Amino acid sequence: MVKVHLLVGEDASQSAEGSFSAGSSVGQLKSYFEQLEEKLRVKSSLRMAFQCLSWISTLLFIAQVSSMPTKCQLQRTLVAKTHNLLETMTGPFPLQCLDDIPVEIKSPTWALQSKNSKQDVVAAKAVYKTLRKVSSLMENEGYPQSWDADKLVKFQIIVDRQIEESECIMRIKTQKEEDDFPLRDAALTDYFDKLQKLLKEKEFSVCGWEVVRRELFSVLQFIVVENSNNFWSTV
């Protein structure tokens, strides 16, 4: 008696192995293959359902962020979320990229800080410009495959939402003697121009992007941690 063994995918060790004698009827064979076809159809449907759920999750997140009330102020919770997403979208900074960290690029943290209430609006304008620079920088392509695509999309959505909500900050007038925004803006522009140049020089490599992620993480962390509660509530 000749036996025919058929294996299908991951179910090979379970119910997908068939055993027929050489004299098996056409009806038996047809029935068996119909069962296999149904198993494959179910597995394909499960994969499609999982992909749909992933997209639905992202769309619900977009709807949730978009439904937030619009106010002329920076929201600490949103900046903190972008900071957390940037941290968790991949693993620790790769050791093989340590030599790619440029010593000449230093974030101008002084430009993002409010030392007293008179500087709150000017510092808020600097943070707004920083968010715009971050958004522009992240428009580049060629992200590392190790980055979580879902978290990356959420990061970009929150940054753009914060830009939209806080754009009105730029229209708030300040005392001329307290307005050093042009100096802050120039320092931030120089910093982000260097990051953009680094990405191009590294040809948008994994290490190039990891250096940028490291820098942005540090900047967002400074904004969230170093500015007092008054900074967020008075603008």
Side-chain angles (χ1 to χ4, degrees):
M1 176 181 293
V2 179
K3 289 189 176 182
V4 179
H5 297 278
L6 300 174
L7 303 179
V8 180
E10 298 172 352
D11 295 331
S13 63
Q14 301 175 7
S15 60
E17 180 174 335
S19 178
F20 297 98
S21 66
S24 296
S25 69
V26 174
Q28 288 178 308
L29 289 173
K30 182 179 179 181
S31 174
Y32 179 75
F33 280 109
E34 286 177 347
Q35 292 177 14
L36 290 181
E37 183 180 6
E38 180 62 24
K39 290 179 182 293
L40 292 173
R41 187 181 297 111
V42 170
K43 291 178 68 176
S44 177
S45 298
L46 288 173
R47 283 195 296 269
M48 291 180 63
F50 178 79
Q51 292 174 351
C52 288
L53 285 174
S54 178
W55 279 106
I56 290 172
S57 174
T58 301
L59 290 173
L60 288 174
F61 177 84
I62 294 173
Q64 180 185 12
V65 173
S66 300
S67 64
M68 293 179 179
T70 301
K71 297 179 181 179
C72 187
Q73 67 177 39
L74 293 164
Q75 295 187 41
R76 190 174 203 163
T77 54
L78 290 184
V79 178
K81 281 184 179 179
T82 58
H83 169 268
N84 293 337
L85 286 168
L86 201 60
E87 179 183 20
T88 60
M89 68 174 56
T90 188
F93 186 83
L95 295 178
Q96 67 268 25
C97 298
L98 289 175
D99 292 338
D100 292 281
I101 299 176
V103 295
E104 69 276 9
I105 298 181
K106 300 292 185 182
S107 60
T109 53
W110 65 268
L112 300 167
Q113 189 171 21
S114 172
K115 295 182 179 179
N116 55 63
S117 60
K118 293 181 179 180
Q119 294 184 344
D120 283 347
V121 173
V122 177
K125 290 181 178 181
V127 172
Y128 168 79
K129 278 303 186 78
T130 296
L131 292 173
R132 289 190 65 92
K133 297 288 187 181
V134 169
S135 177
S136 178
L137 192 62
M138 298 301 285
E139 286 178 356
N140 289 287
E141 298 180 353
Y143 302 111
Q145 293 183 353
S146 59
W147 288 13
D148 187 310
D150 183 55
K151 290 185 176 181
L152 177 60
V153 170
K154 290 178 180 179
F155 172 86
Q156 293 170 319
I157 291 171
I158 295 178
V159 170
D160 290 342
R161 182 64 181 180
Q162 185 73 95
I163 291 172
E164 179 184 344
E165 291 184 354
S166 58
E167 188 275 335
C168 52
I169 289 174
M170 299 304 297
R171 297 193 293 271
I172 299 177
K173 295 183 179 180
T174 57
Q175 295 287 339
K176 188 175 182 180
E177 59 271 16
E178 299 292 340
D179 193 351
D180 62 348
F181 175 70
L183 292 176
R184 296 174 185 243
D185 188 32
L188 289 168
T189 297
D190 180 67
Y191 172 67
F192 281 97
D193 284 350
K194 288 179 178 178
L195 290 182
Q196 179 68 45
K197 182 180 178 181
L198 180 143
L199 263 182
K200 291 182 178 180
E201 290 178 347
K202 298 294 181 180
E203 298 181 340
F204 303 95
S205 65
V206 171
C207 284
W209 272 114
E210 285 294 344
V211 170
V212 167
R213 185 176 74 95
R214 179 178 180 272
E215 288 293 321
L216 297 186
F217 175 81
S218 176
V219 168
L220 293 173
Q221 185 176 49
F222 183 89
I223 292 173
V224 173
V225 175
E226 296 300 327
N227 286 304
S228 66
N229 291 330
N230 291 333
F231 171 83
W232 304 98
S233 60
T234 60
V235 296

